[in-house]
Amino acid sequence: MTNNVQYNRKLGIFLIIIASMFTAIGQLLWKLSNGSFNIMLIIGFLLYGFGAIFMILAFKYERVSLLHPFLSLGYVISIALGFFLLNEAVSFTKLIGTAVIIVGVLLVGGHDD
């Protein structure tokens, strides 16, 4: 199968990071809705949907194998949101895990093949 797609790495990475941010914030709003059907839940679904749209757009500009590791940055964003907005504890183990995720993203998705 021949692939004649013109890649734009910077745009693809930018869009996938935006997708990770939208999905993480959407999930935060689901949490803040307390399981009730309210404005937080609705906005959370909208942001999560926007995250999916940005993800689709990102895959138009770069290979899945390069971009998909960047989605794990959503875990990093979620830990930061939990810490700063929900006063959740972040243990040393979570910090190490977060660092491993960031290093993994850089190693797997941050270089040319």
Side-chain angles (χ1 to χ4, degrees):
M1 183 170 121
T2 305
N3 190 352
N4 294 325
V5 176
Q6 289 291 327
Y7 291 126
N8 182 335
R9 173 168 292 183
K10 288 181 183 179
L11 181 57
I13 290 172
F14 173 75
L15 291 171
I16 207 76
I17 291 172
I18 296 298
S20 293
M21 289 173 55
F22 275 145
T23 56
I25 294 169
Q27 290 171 358
L28 172 71
L29 293 176
W30 295 348
K31 167 72 174 167
L32 294 174
S33 75
N34 290 317
S36 301
F37 187 79
N38 56 33
I39 192 69
M40 292 285 206
L41 184 70
I42 294 167
I43 294 171
F45 274 117
L46 288 172
L47 288 176
Y48 199 84
F50 285 135
I53 291 168
F54 274 85
M55 199 180 314
I56 292 165
L57 291 172
F59 290 142
K60 177 180 176 183
Y61 294 105
E62 187 52 79
R63 295 167 292 141
V64 171
S65 61
L66 186 131
L67 290 181
H68 205 274
F70 282 89
L71 289 175
S72 63
L73 292 175
Y75 297 116
V76 175
I77 295 165
S78 293
I79 289 171
L81 291 173
F83 178 77
F84 289 111
L85 301 178
L86 301 175
N87 296 316
E88 294 180 353
V90 178
S91 66
F92 181 72
T93 305
K94 284 184 184 177
L95 287 175
I96 296 298
T98 302
V100 169
I101 290 171
I102 293 168
V103 169
V105 166
L106 294 173
L107 291 175
V108 175
H111 61 83
D112 287 328
D113 291 339

